Amino acid sequence: MLHDIGDRHYHCEYEPRDPHPETDYLVSCQGSQILLLDDTIPTVAQAAERADLGELQYLFRIDDTAFYLSSQPLPEGNGLAYVSVHRLRRLTPDWLAFGGVTGYHLSNWYHDNRFCGTCGALLRPKEDERALVCPACGTIRYPNIAVAVIVGILDRERDRILFSKYSTGYRYYALIAGYNEIGETLQDTVRREVFEEVGLHVKNIRYFDNQPWGFSGTMLVGFFADLDGSPEFHVDHKELSEAVWIERASAPEGDARVSLTGRMMEAFRLGQRV
C-alpha cells in the first residue's frame, strides 16, 4: 500500500532543521492540487531555481530526507505545474509518493487552521512539537486525523462480496466506507454504515488492516464482515451510485499497491483468509 515504503523509515517526530536544498523536497499545494516538476516532487533547490519559495515550514523526514512546505503558491512554468494530487497514485518511487501525500495532508491542515477557533487570533507554529498555538489565549491545535472504516461484506453462502461505487468523485468499484462518529466503536461504525448505505445487516466483524490516507486526511481501518440475513440490498443514492454482488470468480483485480480498498479486494479475489 502507499505507506509501505520498504526499508525506509518515516519520521513523524517534529524536529525542524535547515533544509539540504539538493536532497530535501518541497511540497506546495493549491486546493486539491500539488506542485510537480516534470511529473515528480521537486527538491528545494529545483523549486528555488524557478521561483521565490517564501518561508519554509518543516514537515517530516523519510530516512534523512526532509520535506518542507512552501508558505505561498509558486508560479507555474519551467516544468513546474499544479496537478491533481491523485497523480501521486502513479508516482514512483513509492516512498516519494507517500511523502507527497502526507505533505498534502499537512498542507491542508495548516491552511484550514490559520486562526484560533476560540478567540480568532492568528495562530503560529509551536516550536517544540507539530502543533499551532494561539499567542492570545494559549489554545493549541494538533493535526486533524479523521477515522473511517472500509467494509468488505461477504456472502459466504454464495462466495461473493459487495462492491459499490460512490455517487461523486472516485468512479471505480470500491467497498462500503464511512466515518466514525463520536461515541461509536469501530464495529458500531461498520454496522451503521453498512445499514445506512445498502440496508444490510452484518455479523462476525473482524479487523483486516489499516492505512493512513492523506488524500482525505483520514486513518482508514479495514474490516471484513459476514452477511447476516437477506442479501437483498437498497442503495442510498446520496452516498452511492450503485452496488453489486460480485462472485469470486468474476472479481476484478484490486490495486493493492496503493490502497487498503484495493488490498482488501485482492485478498477476496485471491482466496486469502478474510
Side-chain angles (χ1 to χ4, degrees), residues 2-272:
L2 190 66
H3 65 287
D4 295 325
I5 56 177
D7 58 359
R8 293 181 179 269
H9 183 65
Y10 167 60
H11 294 269
C12 63
E13 309 93 318
Y14 187 70
E15 45 187 15
R17 70 178 198 194
D18 292 333
H20 302 152
E22 300 296 333
T23 56
D24 290 340
Y25 286 90
L26 181 85
V27 175
S28 178
C29 302
Q30 291 193 80
S32 61
Q33 296 185 314
I34 189 168
L35 187 74
L36 296 186
L37 172 63
D38 299 329
D39 290 326
T40 191
I41 300 171
T43 65
V44 172
Q46 289 171 330
E49 288 175 0
R50 294 162 172 81
D52 176 13
L53 305 185
E55 185 177 355
L56 298 183
Q57 172 68 50
Y58 173 85
L59 297 177
F60 52 83
R61 62 184 174 91
I62 296 176
D63 289 342
D64 198 41
T65 299
F67 288 72
Y68 292 84
L69 180 67
S70 174
S71 62
Q72 60 192 30
L74 304 186
E76 296 181 276
N78 296 320
L80 291 174
Y82 285 96
V83 301
S84 169
V85 69
H86 289 285
R87 185 83 64 87
L88 298 179
R89 286 173 174 261
R90 305 191 299 270
L91 181 67
T92 55
D94 292 346
W95 68 269
L96 186 56
F98 171 69
V101 173
T102 306
Y104 172 75
H105 181 176
L106 283 167
S107 173
N108 285 337
W109 175 68
Y110 278 113
H111 178 272
D112 295 343
N113 290 275
R114 288 172 289 178
F115 299 95
C116 177
T118 301
C119 72
L122 189 67
L123 296 174
R124 66 186 183 196
K126 205 167 182 288
E127 295 182 357
D128 59 343
E129 59 181 338
R130 181 176 291 109
L132 295 168
V133 62
C134 177
C137 70
T139 293
I140 299 175
R141 291 282 296 169
Y142 294 95
N144 300 329
I145 305 172
V147 178
V149 300
I150 298 175
V151 191
I153 306 171
L154 303 181
D155 181 352
R156 292 191 175 276
E157 181 179 342
R158 300 166 184 85
D159 196 24
R160 59 186 184 173
I161 189 172
L162 192 75
F163 282 3
S164 62
K165 290 186 179 180
Y166 300 125
S167 58
T168 59
Y170 190 69
R171 291 300 184 181
Y172 300 95
Y173 277 123
L175 302 174
I176 298 299
Y179 287 99
N180 174 253
E181 297 286 351
I182 291 175
E184 280 188 321
T185 67
L186 295 178
Q187 290 82 359
D188 287 339
T189 306
V190 167
R191 297 184 189 95
R192 176 180 55 77
E193 287 290 343
V194 169
F195 187 75
E196 288 179 354
E197 295 192 3
V198 289
L200 294 175
H201 295 282
V202 292
K203 61 184 178 181
N204 301 330
I205 299 167
R206 52 208 177 272
Y207 171 78
F208 179 74
D209 205 346
N210 68 88
Q211 177 182 33
W213 193 243
F215 293 108
S216 57
T218 309
M219 170 57 76
L220 302 177
V221 186
F223 293 89
F224 281 98
D226 296 336
L227 176 68
D228 186 12
S230 171
E232 297 297 322
F233 57 82
H234 308 283
V235 174
D236 177 4
H237 288 287
K238 292 181 294 186
E239 298 288 340
L240 305 175
S241 62
E242 65 173 287
V244 59
W245 286 110
I246 300 287
E247 294 180 358
R248 191 185 308 274
S250 304
E253 184 175 348
D255 188 0
R257 171 186 168 269
V258 174
S259 71
L260 176 58
T261 296
R263 182 166 178 240
M264 293 175 69
M265 293 166 69
E266 272 294 270
F268 171 77
R269 185 181 74 88
L270 296 175
Q272 297 172 356

